[in-house]
Amino acid sequence: MKYLSNVASLEFFPDRCVGCGICLEVCPHEVFALENKKAVILDRDRCMECGACAGNCAFGALNVDKGVGCAAAIINSLISGGEPSCDCSGESKKSDCC
Amino acid sequence: MAELKFMKPALKEKTTACCGPAQGALQEPGEMSGNTSLPPGKQGRPAWVTGTLTTEAGPISIVSTDLTMSDFWEHVKCRTSAFRNNYAVNPGLYAVGEPDKNSAVLISANYKLSFDALREALKGLHVWVLVLDTKGINVWCAAGKGTFGTDELIRSIFSTRLDSVVNHRKIIVPQLGAPGISAHQVRKSSGFTVCYGPVKAKDISRYISAGYKATKEMRTITFPLIDRLILTPMEINPAMKQYYPAYSLAMLAIFGLQPAGIYFREALVDGLPFLLLGLISVLAGGLITPALLPYIPFRSFAIKGWLTGTLLVIFSLKFTALFSQMNTVLLIFTYLFFPLASSYIALQFTGATTFTGMSGVRKELKIAIPLYIAGIVVSLVLLLVFKLGAWGLL
Ligand code: SF4
Ligand code: SF4
């Protein structure tokens, strides 16, 4: 299953990549592959912007606008003006998103 | 039930609850409270703790790898309740089997479901489980929020004195926790190397025996029918609680309202089909769309929900006698309002999926919200027109 195309905010800076392969390991959607000792993006549309790759790339070769793909969270953030967060703890909002 | 009673107070006062008098004697002077997992005290011990192991870092609770009926009931409640933070496990270090200084260390969240899935998957293994304080939230969500994160992991490594419990310097972090963790920072601050385990707890044992190696399948997240169905109550419940009662009252009032007052017979006879249509759109958006997600055309959840809603409305109007002689204005209202309601509810399911990103949902909302608002306004106007017509005012 894929979501909307051409929306993911994933950025890759090949010149900083050392080919360590951590991004391949953490990405749950097989967005990356290694080719000639460098990461390549196989399919950007599979990216769900979880931020795992960017947070674990020690070389700053990846960047992504990390966030929750959750309508309730985004609607709440539009109303309250904050960052969308997956507030499942039940204490503040009724939103029940994960 | 005994477990629930234990867990609630334990969450609030976990530091004091951890140092009951029974344990005090075993603790080393100056040891931080909250250091070891659970008190071996009689009243406080959850049923899944089967014993205590003495280590250099103090006593550590041994947990069972069998789930009991009461665990199962908690899972059901967990899945259907909005206040899931009651289902938490005390953070800290636990033992599974008879681990020693060379045994693997697994990291988990303190959400009861995550923890139970993990311990069940650890049958026959001898490992340590370090439970982070994620406020009773699962690994994936907590990693997104940052409570399952680099800082909490480093803090827990130090507070449990993991370095004196094991000789090696490797920890297995669930791959779904990766969004919250920076492996290189964990290593820099704690000396422990993060190895990302498989997505699913059930693959852990294969991962460990393969020498901390995961296959591509173990690394990829899927969203099969069963998972989608398990998550539907979380979309249907809020819809039924938040919107449906108000909607029902409004519909009954609209149909019951006559120039001479409110009539219950009219309210029920004319309003009932619309209450049913309301239910149908909740089912269309909250159950059928998630269940058939991969088979419904278009990638947008709003469109998927709208399509399902429209189809169900057509079916209901065609095959039930309830709506045999419907007024044209009401018919337009029906085709406008209920598919939109289904669309809105389907869009909420983006929060439960494993593949929707924030930019995509933002894009959908940007287009859909104005349409929803316009739809509601037109729907209200249509109802008004119907009412005025029925009263002979048009
Ligand atoms: S984690 Fe960074 S450096 Fe390593 S392969 Fe991926 S992009 Fe390259
Ligand atoms: S943000 Fe998440 S889904 Fe997207 S490429 Fe990185 S790891 Fe994969």
Side-chain angles (χ1 to χ4, degrees):
Chain A
M1 272 174 277
K2 275 196 220 172
Y3 197 40
L4 309 187
S5 44
N6 292 322
V7 289
S9 56
L10 180 66
E11 282 179 293
F12 175 49
F13 311 103
D15 41 320
R16 297 193 201 152
C17 173
V18 300
C20 70
I22 284 279
C23 53
L24 277 77
E25 222 167 84
V26 294
C27 178
H29 288 292
E30 263 195 277
V31 169
F32 305 99
L34 271 187
E35 263 170 33
N36 303 324
K37 298 201 179 120
K38 268 201 197 279
V40 287
I41 294 182
L42 285 181
D43 187 351
R44 184 185 299 271
D45 291 349
R46 284 203 294 248
C47 173
M48 67 181 307
E49 302 178 317
C50 70
C53 55
N56 282 282
C57 175
F59 306 92
L62 290 164
N63 192 20
V64 66
D65 187 9
K66 170 183 170 178
V68 288
C70 168
I74 295 173
I75 293 174
N76 280 336
S77 83
L78 289 178
I79 295 168
S80 67
E83 269 294 296
S85 90
C86 208
D87 222 328
C88 323
S89 45
E91 57 212 13
S92 50
K93 282 177 207 109
K94 63 257 172 241
S95 113
D96 212 352
C97 53
C98 39
Chain B
M1 281 325 278
E3 295 171 40
L4 277 179
K5 263 188 227 134
F6 163 71
M7 280 187 296
K8 272 186 186 165
L11 250 189
K12 271 186 221 117
E13 11 165 305
K14 56 181 175 281
T15 44
T16 48
C18 274
C19 313
Q23 197 186 2
L26 292 168
Q27 272 184 324
E28 288 171 26
E31 186 172 304
M32 276 162 63
S33 50
N35 182 0
T36 44
S37 38
L38 276 169
K42 286 167 211 97
Q43 339 90 313
R45 194 165 104 177
W48 40 264
V49 170
T50 54
T52 320
L53 203 71
T54 313
T55 69
E56 271 177 44
I60 286 171
S61 298
I62 304 173
V63 301
S64 153
T65 54
D66 294 312
L67 299 192
T68 60
M69 259 329 256
S70 74
D71 291 324
F72 174 75
W73 274 115
E74 273 178 43
H75 294 185
V76 173
K77 282 187 269 179
C78 237
R79 288 286 186 204
T80 47
S81 138
F83 297 98
R84 272 162 292 154
N85 56 344
N86 291 342
Y87 302 98
V89 177
N90 253 7
L93 192 60
Y94 293 85
V96 171
E98 290 162 11
D100 59 25
K101 290 199 153 225
N102 299 315
S103 304
V105 179
L106 299 159
I107 312 295
S108 170
N110 77 330
Y111 178 46
K112 184 79 167 35
L113 273 179
S114 315
F115 181 69
D116 283 355
L118 180 62
R119 65 188 172 94
E120 200 183 17
L122 297 178
K123 221 163 248 152
L125 297 181
H126 304 287
V127 294
W128 304 101
V129 177
L130 178 57
V131 176
L132 304 192
D133 185 1
T134 59
K135 316 280 178 238
I137 291 171
N138 70 54
V139 171
W140 173 251
C141 286
K145 281 169 85 96
T147 41
F148 188 101
T150 309
D151 293 344
E152 168 62 12
L153 178 56
I154 295 169
R155 195 197 62 76
S156 305
I157 289 173
F158 286 122
S159 75
T160 56
R161 293 167 56 199
L162 189 62
D163 60 342
S164 63
V165 177
V166 289
N167 284 335
H168 62 83
R169 291 292 174 263
K170 273 185 182 167
I171 47 176
I172 302 174
V173 173
Q175 189 191 330
L176 291 187
I181 306 277
S182 281
H184 48 283
Q185 275 171 25
V186 174
R187 182 162 52 199
K188 222 188 282 164
S189 312
S190 71
F192 278 86
T193 302
V194 171
C195 307
Y196 285 108
V199 164
K200 291 201 190 77
K202 68 169 177 60
D203 294 326
I204 280 277
S205 146
R206 273 199 296 152
Y207 170 83
I208 295 178
S209 53
Y212 290 21
K213 284 211 165 52
T215 62
K216 217 172 221 172
E217 286 69 47
M218 293 188 203
R219 290 250 172 263
T220 329
I221 201 171
T222 52
F223 200 35
L225 177 66
I226 180 76
D227 288 5
R228 301 199 298 270
L229 286 180
I230 283 176
L231 290 166
T232 54
M234 285 178 198
E235 309 305 319
I236 296 173
N237 282 352
M240 290 306 288
K241 274 191 212 133
Q242 278 173 43
Y243 304 117
Y244 196 69
Y247 162 79
S248 306
L249 274 181
M251 282 324 249
L252 291 178
I254 286 168
F255 286 100
L257 199 62
Q258 301 296 333
I262 291 199
Y263 287 91
F264 281 104
R265 213 193 68 86
E266 269 77 7
L268 280 180
V269 172
D270 298 339
L272 200 63
F274 290 92
L275 297 198
L276 287 178
L277 280 169
L279 277 183
I280 287 169
S281 34
V282 171
L283 284 185
L287 181 70
I288 298 178
T289 308
L292 301 180
L293 205 58
Y295 313 108
I296 305 173
F298 298 102
R299 288 184 182 182
S300 149
F301 279 54
I303 300 180
K304 282 176 193 276
W306 186 85
L307 276 178
T308 317
T310 307
L311 279 178
L312 273 182
V313 169
I314 293 177
F315 263 66
S316 330
L317 293 191
K318 254 203 143 63
F319 296 110
T320 47
L322 266 178
F323 319 104
S324 49
Q325 355 100 317
M326 206 189 287
N327 168 296
T328 319
V329 177
L330 286 182
L331 205 62
I332 301 174
F333 163 78
T334 301
Y335 277 112
L336 175 72
F337 182 77
F338 295 105
L340 281 187
S342 165
S343 164
Y344 178 79
I345 295 166
L347 197 43
Q348 302 297 311
F349 197 67
T350 49
T353 61
T354 52
F355 64 98
T356 55
M358 186 167 70
S359 305
V361 178
R362 275 220 168 103
K363 186 175 172 188
E364 283 213 64
L365 286 173
K366 223 166 150 186
I367 302 167
I369 287 183
L371 288 177
Y372 293 146
I373 293 174
I376 288 175
V377 171
V378 176
S379 299
L380 288 175
V381 170
L382 286 171
L383 285 178
L384 191 70
V385 169
F386 161 74
K387 225 41 231 185
L388 293 177
W391 289 347
L393 294 176
L394 275 187

